Amino acid sequence: MEYIGHLLEDNNVHARLGCGAGHFYRALEGQDMSGLDVVLWQIVPGFDEISFSWMGGNTDSVFFHYGMTKLATSLGHIDPRKRGRTFCEIFGAYGWAEGLKLMKWLTDHMLVRGVNHFVPHAFSQKEFPDWDCPPHFYARGRNPQFRYYNLLNSYTNRLCHLFSDGQHVATAAVLYHAEAEWSGEYMLFQEPVKQLMQNQIDCDVVPADVLLTSAAPDGELTIHKEQYRCLIIPYAEALPIELVVKLTELAASGLPIVFIDALPTRVSQSVPYSQEIEQLAAQSNISVVPLVKLADTLREWGMFELATTDWQPYLRTYQYRHDQLETVMLFNEHPTGVLETSISLPGEGVWMRYDAFGNTLDLVGEGDNFVLDLRLSAYESAILLRIPAGNEASLPIRNGKARPASGAASRLVEPTEWQVSLATADKYPTFEHWGALTSLRNMSARDLLPRFSGTIKYECQIQDEAMSGPLWLDLGKVYETAEVWVNGQKAGVKLCAPYVWDISEYWKLGTNVLTIEVTNTLVKDQQDWFSKFVQQEPSGLLGPVKLIGPSVK
């Protein structure tokens, strides 16, 4: 039996008494895993810096997006008792507006910060509807997306396995600000963390208690299994005198220490301190850097692992190492935008891309510091694996391209009409014909089906007398889970963008029958209290639907 749990961290109360525990790290010290809970729209795509009204008042969105999860995973990394494990209670109290698309985004948000155990919230045995913190996965057979929920669980389990029992790789340690907040003017730890994450420089947040027992052999800070090339101190008017002395010692050992905006001017206690402050300031490895220059300064010093050709503030990265296996996760956290850049990957060997939904591998390239041309749709992640050259021969690497090349020829799918049928969760897979559409529309529009929750089936025929070779189907915008059949053969399921399938093996010359099932969430039918904090998305297939391939005309 093991002891796990989480605290109330909301809006920085983790370092305060009252509704908070006073100190995040001390409060979780006795547990066997580090932990956190994400509920009540604390984390929302696109609101990483914008405060919004919430049942707890106005959010500190920078904390929720850049700080909260990092607190938990940092403790998992640095505390031997945790054995590298951080769990997250997730999905609860977002309301029925939360579907599998957002669940996948939240899962990736956690994985790319180091969470490797999940406690999904929740199944309910009460009669439907149960208004206690939906969504509920099965919902007495009323949740139309439940039949796809196992796909997200399998994806999550595979990646948690990859990110367990190995070594996290991070460039920097950032001081937890609690003692500074108790002592005077201070900067919240999430401010430098945000600057680092927006520039693909990973870090852990380290409390003073742990720093006091740390060492810096060979100029690198060593805490448990973690090694950091520098230490960052958020602005603090005052710090405990014993910490000031320890920072002086670490700097003298060769560790670069960056103070944001200014050095401390005094200590937390009512004791003489001028000598200790002067000795700290005299160290050659001590630097004072403005917050906005932090990431640029570290890159000038060569303190980074991954490098992009341009600034990508929504690209999140996580690097994890096993014996003869390097794993890099890249996640586009932008709510709508496509991310395109080139990224230099560390080390030498063969790089592969792992599809954790399909459990498949595709060859990416090889060499020393291989440069990858990266394109990620909103909500999309890439899992890259590096192995020593020659080891790939024993792996089931697929032949051919997993996705269409950038700039490949395309053709719009514009049938005379789409035949549309409907099925609620309790009736699926029995559909009732609804009618025909001559163009794709939001099916939740007021003049169509504003209160329908379930599956919308689209069917059409496409004539083709010329195509050959690789062929992909791109559905464009979909709300939200999509399943595709081509000529009666199942092509697969997508929970989020990109809604693209390789349909080469199913396509034929002549008449092709395309069937698309799109399943929305229960929020149209069940307008619960928790969903009122978010703008509802459309329903159905919005397109444009395209065929993509070298022979497309």
Side-chain angles (χ1 to χ4, degrees):
M1 181 179 293
E2 292 188 306
Y3 171 39
I4 65 173
H6 62 81
L7 306 177
L8 187 66
E9 312 97 350
D10 302 48
N11 281 13
N12 307 301
V13 301
H14 55 85
R16 302 165 190 163
L17 294 175
C19 61
H23 192 287
F24 181 86
Y25 294 86
R26 294 174 186 173
L28 288 178
E29 182 178 5
Q31 297 196 1
D32 294 301
M33 290 187 191
S34 183
L36 76 153
D37 180 27
V38 54
V39 292
L40 300 169
W41 296 98
Q42 292 170 326
I43 298 174
V44 183
F47 281 85
D48 57 311
E49 296 182 89
I50 302 172
S51 180
F52 64 93
S53 296
W54 172 69
M55 63 278 300
N58 290 327
T59 61
D60 180 347
S61 294
V62 174
F63 168 70
F64 284 134
H65 286 253
Y66 295 97
M68 182 168 67
T69 309
K70 270 295 183 184
L71 274 180
T73 57
S74 297
L75 177 59
H77 292 149
I78 65 178
D79 183 356
R81 179 169 184 164
K82 308 299 187 281
R83 301 190 347 242
R85 301 177 300 172
T86 298
F87 89 91
C88 178
E89 183 181 349
I90 194 168
F91 306 144
Y94 269 62
W96 284 113
E98 178 188 28
L100 289 173
K101 184 177 81 166
L102 179 55
M103 289 181 181
K104 192 267 184 185
W105 189 96
L106 289 170
T107 300
D108 283 354
H109 176 100
M110 297 295 159
L111 287 165
V112 82
R113 288 159 173 80
V115 173
N116 53 13
H117 288 73
F118 289 81
V119 180
H121 182 296
F123 287 92
S124 173
Q125 296 179 343
K126 294 181 181 179
E127 292 300 320
F128 180 86
D130 176 7
W131 300 112
D132 182 8
C133 299
H136 305 116
F137 301 124
Y138 180 61
R140 295 282 181 172
R142 297 289 294 274
N143 182 355
Q145 292 188 350
F146 179 69
R147 65 182 180 273
Y148 301 120
Y149 177 59
N150 67 306
L151 301 178
L152 179 61
N153 282 346
S154 296
Y155 170 90
T156 305
N157 285 337
R158 288 165 183 150
L159 293 184
C160 286
H161 177 73
L162 270 179
F163 295 135
S164 296
D165 301 319
Q167 176 64 51
H168 165 236
V169 179
T171 299
V174 176
L175 176 67
Y176 181 51
H177 71 260
E179 288 82 359
E181 179 175 349
W182 305 338
S183 304
E185 296 296 320
Y186 66 98
M187 176 184 288
L188 296 166
F189 79 89
Q190 58 260 31
E191 294 298 338
V193 170
K194 181 186 78 171
Q195 296 294 322
L196 298 178
M197 291 181 68
Q198 289 187 345
N199 287 274
Q200 296 77 54
I201 300 174
D202 201 4
C203 64
D204 277 330
V205 183
V206 178
D209 298 349
V210 172
L211 276 179
L212 290 173
T213 60
S214 66
D218 302 319
E220 291 192 349
L221 181 64
T222 300
I223 300 175
H224 186 36
K225 296 181 179 180
E226 299 289 323
Q227 289 186 304
Y228 311 101
R229 297 162 66 184
C230 64
L231 172 62
I232 297 165
I233 311 297
Y235 170 74
E237 178 187 354
L239 292 172
I241 191 168
E242 61 272 20
L243 180 59
V244 172
V245 172
K246 183 64 179 183
L247 294 176
T248 303
E249 173 193 318
L250 291 171
S253 299
L255 176 68
I257 301 179
V258 177
F259 284 82
I260 302 299
D261 293 342
L263 292 171
T265 56
R266 59 181 179 85
V267 299
S268 305
Q269 302 95 324
S270 296
V271 296
Y273 58 81
S274 58
Q275 181 178 351
E276 286 77 8
I277 294 292
E278 290 172 3
Q279 290 175 343
L280 177 69
Q283 294 298 317
S284 60
N285 285 313
I286 297 289
S287 302
V288 177
V289 175
L291 178 64
V292 295
K293 296 291 186 181
L294 175 60
D296 289 342
T297 299
L298 295 190
R299 288 201 174 275
E300 289 172 5
W301 294 349
M303 291 188 178
F304 60 91
E305 302 295 332
L306 304 167
T308 58
T309 51
D310 52 356
W311 187 49
Q312 294 291 343
Y314 282 98
L315 176 60
R316 304 289 172 257
T317 63
Y318 188 69
Q319 192 175 351
Y320 201 79
R321 188 169 291 157
H322 294 274
D323 182 34
Q324 296 195 329
L325 175 64
E326 187 99 1
T327 303
V328 174
M329 182 175 185
L330 308 172
F331 176 37
N332 178 10
E333 283 195 346
H334 196 282
T336 58
V338 174
L339 184 156
E340 292 189 84
T341 190
S342 294
I343 185 167
S344 177
L345 301 171
E348 184 176 2
V350 175
W351 285 96
M352 301 167 293
R353 184 164 179 166
Y354 175 58
D355 176 4
F357 280 109
N359 198 28
T360 57
L361 286 171
D362 293 286
L363 186 65
V364 171
E366 61 181 305
D368 187 16
N369 294 322
F370 176 75
V371 177
L372 172 70
D373 291 330
L374 181 68
R375 187 180 194 274
L376 294 175
S377 298
Y379 288 68
E380 185 181 10
S381 290
I383 309 300
L384 304 174
L385 308 179
R386 178 173 61 82
I387 58 175
N391 288 10
E392 71 275 14
S394 62
L395 297 175
I397 299 175
R398 298 191 302 181
N399 294 320
K401 287 188 173 292
R403 56 185 57 214
S406 179
S410 65
R411 186 187 94 186
L412 288 175
V413 174
E414 297 179 299
T416 304
E417 59 183 20
W418 295 87
Q419 294 297 322
V420 178
S421 303
L422 307 175
T424 55
D426 55 332
K427 298 294 178 56
Y428 185 89
T430 301
F431 285 85
E432 292 186 5
H433 186 257
W434 174 80
L437 291 174
T438 56
S439 61
L440 296 172
R441 294 185 58 194
N442 171 17
M443 294 299 289
S444 292
R446 284 191 290 179
D447 61 330
L448 293 178
L449 299 166
R451 297 300 298 271
F452 176 76
S453 290
T455 300
I456 306 166
K457 180 162 69 173
Y458 301 79
E459 297 174 289
C460 73
Q461 293 186 352
I462 306 170
Q463 290 297 127
D464 176 28
E465 304 298 339
M467 294 186 197
S468 61
L471 185 66
W472 289 268
L473 174 69
D474 184 345
L475 297 186
K477 294 182 179 180
V478 179
Y479 298 94
E480 55 180 46
T481 301
E483 188 167 9
V484 168
W485 289 262
V486 179
N487 295 319
Q489 299 182 77
K490 183 176 177 178
V493 178
K494 302 287 184 182
L495 305 186
C496 65
Y499 293 96
V500 178
W501 287 260
D502 183 347
I503 60 170
S504 307
E505 63 181 295
Y506 314 121
W507 198 257
K508 64 182 182 180
L509 294 178
T511 302
N512 290 272
V513 178
L514 180 61
T515 303
I516 303 165
E517 291 185 6
V518 178
T519 304
N520 65 0
T521 75
L522 258 179
V523 73
K524 307 301 181 184
D525 178 66
Q526 299 291 318
Q527 298 181 356
D528 61 278
W529 185 82
F530 297 93
S531 296
K532 71 180 182 180
F533 295 96
V534 64
Q535 182 176 354
Q536 291 187 22
E537 292 188 326
S539 294
L541 174 63
L542 272 64
V545 180
K546 295 185 291 185
L547 295 172
I548 303 173
S551 64
V552 172
K553 297 180 181 179

mmCIF file with all atom_site columns, all heavy atoms in Angstrom, residues 282-301:
data_model
loop_
_atom_site.group_PDB
_atom_site.id
_atom_site.type_symbol
_atom_site.label_atom_id
_atom_site.label_alt_id
_atom_site.label_comp_id
_atom_site.label_asym_id
_atom_site.label_entity_id
_atom_site.label_seq_id
_atom_site.pdbx_PDB_ins_code
_atom_site.Cartn_x
_atom_site.Cartn_y
_atom_site.Cartn_z
_atom_site.occupancy
_atom_site.B_iso_or_equiv
_atom_site.pdbx_formal_charge
_atom_site.auth_seq_id
_atom_site.auth_comp_id
_atom_site.auth_asym_id
_atom_site.auth_atom_id
_atom_site.pdbx_PDB_model_num
ATOM 1   N N   . ALA A 1 282 ? 30.176 38.993 -4.489  1.00 0.00 ? 282 ALA A N   1
ATOM 2   C CA  . ALA A 1 282 ? 31.549 38.972 -4.982  1.00 0.00 ? 282 ALA A CA  1
ATOM 3   C C   . ALA A 1 282 ? 31.866 37.744 -5.830  1.00 0.00 ? 282 ALA A C   1
ATOM 4   O O   . ALA A 1 282 ? 32.923 37.696 -6.479  1.00 0.00 ? 282 ALA A O   1
ATOM 5   C CB  . ALA A 1 282 ? 32.516 39.038 -3.795  1.00 0.00 ? 282 ALA A CB  1
ATOM 6   N N   . GLN A 1 283 ? 30.990 36.758 -5.863  1.00 0.00 ? 283 GLN A N   1
ATOM 7   C CA  . GLN A 1 283 ? 31.271 35.520 -6.591  1.00 0.00 ? 283 GLN A CA  1
ATOM 8   C C   . GLN A 1 283 ? 31.223 35.745 -8.105  1.00 0.00 ? 283 GLN A C   1
ATOM 9   O O   . GLN A 1 283 ? 30.286 36.353 -8.629  1.00 0.00 ? 283 GLN A O   1
ATOM 10  C CB  . GLN A 1 283 ? 30.268 34.434 -6.200  1.00 0.00 ? 283 GLN A CB  1
ATOM 11  C CG  . GLN A 1 283 ? 30.378 33.970 -4.767  1.00 0.00 ? 283 GLN A CG  1
ATOM 12  C CD  . GLN A 1 283 ? 31.724 33.336 -4.480  1.00 0.00 ? 283 GLN A CD  1
ATOM 13  O OE1 . GLN A 1 283 ? 32.241 32.545 -5.278  1.00 0.00 ? 283 GLN A OE1 1
ATOM 14  N NE2 . GLN A 1 283 ? 32.306 33.693 -3.340  1.00 0.00 ? 283 GLN A NE2 1
ATOM 15  N N   . SER A 1 284 ? 32.213 35.224 -8.802  1.00 0.00 ? 284 SER A N   1
ATOM 16  C CA  . SER A 1 284 ? 32.285 35.425 -10.254 1.00 0.00 ? 284 SER A CA  1
ATOM 17  C C   . SER A 1 284 ? 31.213 34.650 -11.008 1.00 0.00 ? 284 SER A C   1
ATOM 18  O O   . SER A 1 284 ? 30.885 34.993 -12.155 1.00 0.00 ? 284 SER A O   1
ATOM 19  C CB  . SER A 1 284 ? 33.669 35.020 -10.770 1.00 0.00 ? 284 SER A CB  1
ATOM 20  O OG  . SER A 1 284 ? 33.925 33.647 -10.493 1.00 0.00 ? 284 SER A OG  1
ATOM 21  N N   . ASN A 1 285 ? 30.662 33.601 -10.411 1.00 0.00 ? 285 ASN A N   1
ATOM 22  C CA  . ASN A 1 285 ? 29.616 32.808 -11.073 1.00 0.00 ? 285 ASN A CA  1
ATOM 23  C C   . ASN A 1 285 ? 28.208 33.317 -10.778 1.00 0.00 ? 285 ASN A C   1
ATOM 24  O O   . ASN A 1 285 ? 27.228 32.665 -11.135 1.00 0.00 ? 285 ASN A O   1
ATOM 25  C CB  . ASN A 1 285 ? 29.728 31.338 -10.662 1.00 0.00 ? 285 ASN A CB  1
ATOM 26  C CG  . ASN A 1 285 ? 30.896 30.648 -11.340 1.00 0.00 ? 285 ASN A CG  1
ATOM 27  O OD1 . ASN A 1 285 ? 31.083 30.774 -12.545 1.00 0.00 ? 285 ASN A OD1 1
ATOM 28  N ND2 . ASN A 1 285 ? 31.706 29.954 -10.557 1.00 0.00 ? 285 ASN A ND2 1
ATOM 29  N N   . ILE A 1 286 ? 28.115 34.470 -10.122 1.00 0.00 ? 286 ILE A N   1
ATOM 30  C CA  . ILE A 1 286 ? 26.824 35.093 -9.849  1.00 0.00 ? 286 ILE A CA  1
ATOM 31  C C   . ILE A 1 286 ? 26.540 36.123 -10.937 1.00 0.00 ? 286 ILE A C   1
ATOM 32  O O   . ILE A 1 286 ? 27.379 36.967 -11.249 1.00 0.00 ? 286 ILE A O   1
ATOM 33  C CB  . ILE A 1 286 ? 26.817 35.781 -8.470  1.00 0.00 ? 286 ILE A CB  1
ATOM 34  C CG1 . ILE A 1 286 ? 27.018 34.756 -7.351  1.00 0.00 ? 286 ILE A CG1 1
ATOM 35  C CG2 . ILE A 1 286 ? 25.536 36.579 -8.275  1.00 0.00 ? 286 ILE A CG2 1
ATOM 36  C CD1 . ILE A 1 286 ? 25.842 33.850 -7.115  1.00 0.00 ? 286 ILE A CD1 1
ATOM 37  N N   . SER A 1 287 ? 25.338 36.066 -11.523 1.00 0.00 ? 287 SER A N   1
ATOM 38  C CA  . SER A 1 287 ? 24.918 37.038 -12.535 1.00 0.00 ? 287 SER A CA  1
ATOM 39  C C   . SER A 1 287 ? 23.548 37.579 -12.176 1.00 0.00 ? 287 SER A C   1
ATOM 40  O O   . SER A 1 287 ? 22.726 36.872 -11.578 1.00 0.00 ? 287 SER A O   1
ATOM 41  C CB  . SER A 1 287 ? 24.857 36.394 -13.926 1.00 0.00 ? 287 SER A CB  1
ATOM 42  O OG  . SER A 1 287 ? 26.104 35.853 -14.303 1.00 0.00 ? 287 SER A OG  1
ATOM 43  N N   . VAL A 1 288 ? 23.307 38.822 -12.554 1.00 0.00 ? 288 VAL A N   1
ATOM 44  C CA  . VAL A 1 288 ? 21.986 39.433 -12.422 1.00 0.00 ? 288 VAL A CA  1
ATOM 45  C C   . VAL A 1 288 ? 21.466 39.687 -13.831 1.00 0.00 ? 288 VAL A C   1
ATOM 46  O O   . VAL A 1 288 ? 22.129 40.356 -14.635 1.00 0.00 ? 288 VAL A O   1
ATOM 47  C CB  . VAL A 1 288 ? 22.035 40.738 -11.615 1.00 0.00 ? 288 VAL A CB  1
ATOM 48  C CG1 . VAL A 1 288 ? 20.650 41.383 -11.575 1.00 0.00 ? 288 VAL A CG1 1
ATOM 49  C CG2 . VAL A 1 288 ? 22.548 40.480 -10.201 1.00 0.00 ? 288 VAL A CG2 1
ATOM 50  N N   . VAL A 1 289 ? 20.289 39.128 -14.142 1.00 0.00 ? 289 VAL A N   1
ATOM 51  C CA  . VAL A 1 289 ? 19.749 39.174 -15.501 1.00 0.00 ? 289 VAL A CA  1
ATOM 52  C C   . VAL A 1 289 ? 18.293 39.621 -15.434 1.00 0.00 ? 289 VAL A C   1
ATOM 53  O O   . VAL A 1 289 ? 17.532 39.117 -14.601 1.00 0.00 ? 289 VAL A O   1
ATOM 54  C CB  . VAL A 1 289 ? 19.845 37.784 -16.171 1.00 0.00 ? 289 VAL A CB  1
ATOM 55  C CG1 . VAL A 1 289 ? 19.182 37.787 -17.541 1.00 0.00 ? 289 VAL A CG1 1
ATOM 56  C CG2 . VAL A 1 289 ? 21.308 37.350 -16.289 1.00 0.00 ? 289 VAL A CG2 1
ATOM 57  N N   . PRO A 1 290 ? 17.863 40.543 -16.294 1.00 0.00 ? 290 PRO A N   1
ATOM 58  C CA  . PRO A 1 290 ? 16.434 40.884 -16.353 1.00 0.00 ? 290 PRO A CA  1
ATOM 59  C C   . PRO A 1 290 ? 15.608 39.668 -16.752 1.00 0.00 ? 290 PRO A C   1
ATOM 60  O O   . PRO A 1 290 ? 16.052 38.826 -17.543 1.00 0.00 ? 290 PRO A O   1
ATOM 61  C CB  . PRO A 1 290 ? 16.370 41.978 -17.426 1.00 0.00 ? 290 PRO A CB  1
ATOM 62  C CG  . PRO A 1 290 ? 17.758 42.492 -17.554 1.00 0.00 ? 290 PRO A CG  1
ATOM 63  C CD  . PRO A 1 290 ? 18.663 41.350 -17.238 1.00 0.00 ? 290 PRO A CD  1
ATOM 64  N N   . LEU A 1 291 ? 14.398 39.598 -16.230 1.00 0.00 ? 291 LEU A N   1
ATOM 65  C CA  . LEU A 1 291 ? 13.544 38.443 -16.511 1.00 0.00 ? 291 LEU A CA  1
ATOM 66  C C   . LEU A 1 291 ? 13.379 38.219 -18.010 1.00 0.00 ? 291 LEU A C   1
ATOM 67  O O   . LEU A 1 291 ? 13.466 37.080 -18.487 1.00 0.00 ? 291 LEU A O   1
ATOM 68  C CB  . LEU A 1 291 ? 12.174 38.645 -15.851 1.00 0.00 ? 291 LEU A CB  1
ATOM 69  C CG  . LEU A 1 291 ? 11.144 37.540 -16.092 1.00 0.00 ? 291 LEU A CG  1
ATOM 70  C CD1 . LEU A 1 291 ? 11.601 36.220 -15.492 1.00 0.00 ? 291 LEU A CD1 1
ATOM 71  C CD2 . LEU A 1 291 ? 9.781  37.947 -15.522 1.00 0.00 ? 291 LEU A CD2 1
ATOM 72  N N   . VAL A 1 292 ? 13.158 39.276 -18.770 1.00 0.00 ? 292 VAL A N   1
ATOM 73  C CA  . VAL A 1 292 ? 12.886 39.119 -20.203 1.00 0.00 ? 292 VAL A CA  1
ATOM 74  C C   . VAL A 1 292 ? 14.119 38.675 -20.980 1.00 0.00 ? 292 VAL A C   1
ATOM 75  O O   . VAL A 1 292 ? 14.008 38.257 -22.133 1.00 0.00 ? 292 VAL A O   1
ATOM 76  C CB  . VAL A 1 292 ? 12.326 40.422 -20.803 1.00 0.00 ? 292 VAL A CB  1
ATOM 77  C CG1 . VAL A 1 292 ? 10.968 40.741 -20.200 1.00 0.00 ? 292 VAL A CG1 1
ATOM 78  C CG2 . VAL A 1 292 ? 13.297 41.578 -20.616 1.00 0.00 ? 292 VAL A CG2 1
ATOM 79  N N   . LYS A 1 293 ? 15.304 38.757 -20.365 1.00 0.00 ? 293 LYS A N   1
ATOM 80  C CA  . LYS A 1 293 ? 16.539 38.341 -21.035 1.00 0.00 ? 293 LYS A CA  1
ATOM 81  C C   . LYS A 1 293 ? 17.019 36.967 -20.571 1.00 0.00 ? 293 LYS A C   1
ATOM 82  O O   . LYS A 1 293 ? 18.080 36.504 -21.010 1.00 0.00 ? 293 LYS A O   1
ATOM 83  C CB  . LYS A 1 293 ? 17.644 39.372 -20.772 1.00 0.00 ? 293 LYS A CB  1
ATOM 84  C CG  . LYS A 1 293 ? 17.376 40.752 -21.358 1.00 0.00 ? 293 LYS A CG  1
ATOM 85  C CD  . LYS A 1 293 ? 17.439 40.729 -22.872 1.00 0.00 ? 293 LYS A CD  1
ATOM 86  C CE  . LYS A 1 293 ? 17.325 42.132 -23.447 1.00 0.00 ? 293 LYS A CE  1
ATOM 87  N NZ  . LYS A 1 293 ? 17.356 42.117 -24.933 1.00 0.00 ? 293 LYS A NZ  1
ATOM 88  N N   . LEU A 1 294 ? 16.254 36.321 -19.707 1.00 0.00 ? 294 LEU A N   1
ATOM 89  C CA  . LEU A 1 294 ? 16.722 35.077 -19.097 1.00 0.00 ? 294 LEU A CA  1
ATOM 90  C C   . LEU A 1 294 ? 17.019 34.005 -20.138 1.00 0.00 ? 294 LEU A C   1
ATOM 91  O O   . LEU A 1 294 ? 18.114 33.427 -20.171 1.00 0.00 ? 294 LEU A O   1
ATOM 92  C CB  . LEU A 1 294 ? 15.686 34.568 -18.090 1.00 0.00 ? 294 LEU A CB  1
ATOM 93  C CG  . LEU A 1 294 ? 15.982 33.202 -17.461 1.00 0.00 ? 294 LEU A CG  1
ATOM 94  C CD1 . LEU A 1 294 ? 17.300 33.224 -16.703 1.00 0.00 ? 294 LEU A CD1 1
ATOM 95  C CD2 . LEU A 1 294 ? 14.830 32.775 -16.560 1.00 0.00 ? 294 LEU A CD2 1
ATOM 96  N N   . ALA A 1 295 ? 16.056 33.699 -20.991 1.00 0.00 ? 295 ALA A N   1
ATOM 97  C CA  . ALA A 1 295 ? 16.240 32.615 -21.962 1.00 0.00 ? 295 ALA A CA  1
ATOM 98  C C   . ALA A 1 295 ? 17.357 32.941 -22.944 1.00 0.00 ? 295 ALA A C   1
ATOM 99  O O   . ALA A 1 295 ? 18.184 32.074 -23.275 1.00 0.00 ? 295 ALA A O   1
ATOM 100 C CB  . ALA A 1 295 ? 14.933 32.347 -22.701 1.00 0.00 ? 295 ALA A CB  1
ATOM 101 N N   . ASP A 1 296 ? 17.403 34.182 -23.421 1.00 0.00 ? 296 ASP A N   1
ATOM 102 C CA  . ASP A 1 296 ? 18.469 34.568 -24.351 1.00 0.00 ? 296 ASP A CA  1
ATOM 103 C C   . ASP A 1 296 ? 19.838 34.418 -23.703 1.00 0.00 ? 296 ASP A C   1
ATOM 104 O O   . ASP A 1 296 ? 20.804 33.983 -24.348 1.00 0.00 ? 296 ASP A O   1
ATOM 105 C CB  . ASP A 1 296 ? 18.270 36.015 -24.809 1.00 0.00 ? 296 ASP A CB  1
ATOM 106 C CG  . ASP A 1 296 ? 17.084 36.174 -25.749 1.00 0.00 ? 296 ASP A CG  1
ATOM 107 O OD1 . ASP A 1 296 ? 16.631 35.153 -26.306 1.00 0.00 ? 296 ASP A OD1 1
ATOM 108 O OD2 . ASP A 1 296 ? 16.612 37.311 -25.919 1.00 0.00 ? 296 ASP A OD2 1
ATOM 109 N N   . THR A 1 297 ? 19.934 34.776 -22.427 1.00 0.00 ? 297 THR A N   1
ATOM 110 C CA  . THR A 1 297 ? 21.215 34.666 -21.724 1.00 0.00 ? 297 THR A CA  1
ATOM 111 C C   . THR A 1 297 ? 21.663 33.217 -21.624 1.00 0.00 ? 297 THR A C   1
ATOM 112 O O   . THR A 1 297 ? 22.835 32.889 -21.889 1.00 0.00 ? 297 THR A O   1
ATOM 113 C CB  . THR A 1 297 ? 21.099 35.282 -20.321 1.00 0.00 ? 297 THR A CB  1
ATOM 114 O OG1 . THR A 1 297 ? 20.763 36.671 -20.446 1.00 0.00 ? 297 THR A OG1 1
ATOM 115 C CG2 . THR A 1 297 ? 22.399 35.146 -19.557 1.00 0.00 ? 297 THR A CG2 1
ATOM 116 N N   . LEU A 1 298 ? 20.750 32.324 -21.266 1.00 0.00 ? 298 LEU A N   1
ATOM 117 C CA  . LEU A 1 298 ? 21.123 30.911 -21.158 1.00 0.00 ? 298 LEU A CA  1
ATOM 118 C C   . LEU A 1 298 ? 21.540 30.351 -22.512 1.00 0.00 ? 298 LEU A C   1
ATOM 119 O O   . LEU A 1 298 ? 22.486 29.552 -22.602 1.00 0.00 ? 298 LEU A O   1
ATOM 120 C CB  . LEU A 1 298 ? 19.968 30.104 -20.571 1.00 0.00 ? 298 LEU A CB  1
ATOM 121 C CG  . LEU A 1 298 ? 19.569 30.412 -19.123 1.00 0.00 ? 298 LEU A CG  1
ATOM 122 C CD1 . LEU A 1 298 ? 18.579 29.374 -18.611 1.00 0.00 ? 298 LEU A CD1 1
ATOM 123 C CD2 . LEU A 1 298 ? 20.775 30.484 -18.202 1.00 0.00 ? 298 LEU A CD2 1
ATOM 124 N N   . ARG A 1 299 ? 20.868 30.750 -23.564 1.00 0.00 ? 299 ARG A N   1
ATOM 125 C CA  . ARG A 1 299 ? 21.252 30.260 -24.889 1.00 0.00 ? 299 ARG A CA  1
ATOM 126 C C   . ARG A 1 299 ? 22.626 30.799 -25.296 1.00 0.00 ? 299 ARG A C   1
ATOM 127 O O   . ARG A 1 299 ? 23.419 30.083 -25.917 1.00 0.00 ? 299 ARG A O   1
ATOM 128 C CB  . ARG A 1 299 ? 20.189 30.640 -25.923 1.00 0.00 ? 299 ARG A CB  1
ATOM 129 C CG  . ARG A 1 299 ? 18.911 29.824 -25.759 1.00 0.00 ? 299 ARG A CG  1
ATOM 130 C CD  . ARG A 1 299 ? 18.068 29.785 -27.018 1.00 0.00 ? 299 ARG A CD  1
ATOM 131 N NE  . ARG A 1 299 ? 16.936 28.886 -26.840 1.00 0.00 ? 299 ARG A NE  1
ATOM 132 C CZ  . ARG A 1 299 ? 16.973 27.574 -27.043 1.00 0.00 ? 299 ARG A CZ  1
ATOM 133 N NH1 . ARG A 1 299 ? 18.096 27.009 -27.437 1.00 0.00 ? 299 ARG A NH1 1
ATOM 134 N NH2 . ARG A 1 299 ? 15.899 26.831 -26.861 1.00 0.00 ? 299 ARG A NH2 1
ATOM 135 N N   . GLU A 1 300 ? 22.911 32.050 -24.944 1.00 0.00 ? 300 GLU A N   1
ATOM 136 C CA  . GLU A 1 300 ? 24.244 32.592 -25.226 1.00 0.00 ? 300 GLU A CA  1
ATOM 137 C C   . GLU A 1 300 ? 25.320 31.804 -24.492 1.00 0.00 ? 300 GLU A C   1
ATOM 138 O O   . GLU A 1 300 ? 26.441 31.652 -24.993 1.00 0.00 ? 300 GLU A O   1
ATOM 139 C CB  . GLU A 1 300 ? 24.297 34.062 -24.814 1.00 0.00 ? 300 GLU A CB  1
ATOM 140 C CG  . GLU A 1 300 ? 23.494 34.988 -25.720 1.00 0.00 ? 300 GLU A CG  1
ATOM 141 C CD  . GLU A 1 300 ? 23.403 36.398 -25.166 1.00 0.00 ? 300 GLU A CD  1
ATOM 142 O OE1 . GLU A 1 300 ? 24.053 36.664 -24.119 1.00 0.00 ? 300 GLU A OE1 1
ATOM 143 O OE2 . GLU A 1 300 ? 22.679 37.228 -25.757 1.00 0.00 ? 300 GLU A OE2 1
ATOM 144 N N   . TRP A 1 301 ? 25.002 31.298 -23.319 1.00 0.00 ? 301 TRP A N   1
ATOM 145 C CA  . TRP A 1 301 ? 25.944 30.494 -22.543 1.00 0.00 ? 301 TRP A CA  1
ATOM 146 C C   . TRP A 1 301 ? 25.982 29.029 -22.988 1.00 0.00 ? 301 TRP A C   1
ATOM 147 O O   . TRP A 1 301 ? 26.738 28.232 -22.437 1.00 0.00 ? 301 TRP A O   1
ATOM 148 C CB  . TRP A 1 301 ? 25.575 30.541 -21.060 1.00 0.00 ? 301 TRP A CB  1
ATOM 149 C CG  . TRP A 1 301 ? 25.721 31.892 -20.420 1.00 0.00 ? 301 TRP A CG  1
ATOM 150 C CD1 . TRP A 1 301 ? 26.323 32.996 -20.944 1.00 0.00 ? 301 TRP A CD1 1
ATOM 151 C CD2 . TRP A 1 301 ? 25.254 32.271 -19.123 1.00 0.00 ? 301 TRP A CD2 1
ATOM 152 N NE1 . TRP A 1 301 ? 26.264 34.044 -20.063 1.00 0.00 ? 301 TRP A NE1 1
ATOM 153 C CE2 . TRP A 1 301 ? 25.614 33.631 -18.927 1.00 0.00 ? 301 TRP A CE2 1
ATOM 154 C CE3 . TRP A 1 301 ? 24.576 31.611 -18.103 1.00 0.00 ? 301 TRP A CE3 1
ATOM 155 C CZ2 . TRP A 1 301 ? 25.309 34.324 -17.760 1.00 0.00 ? 301 TRP A CZ2 1
ATOM 156 C CZ3 . TRP A 1 301 ? 24.267 32.300 -16.938 1.00 0.00 ? 301 TRP A CZ3 1
ATOM 157 C CH2 . TRP A 1 301 ? 24.629 33.644 -16.767 1.00 0.00 ? 301 TRP A CH2 1
#
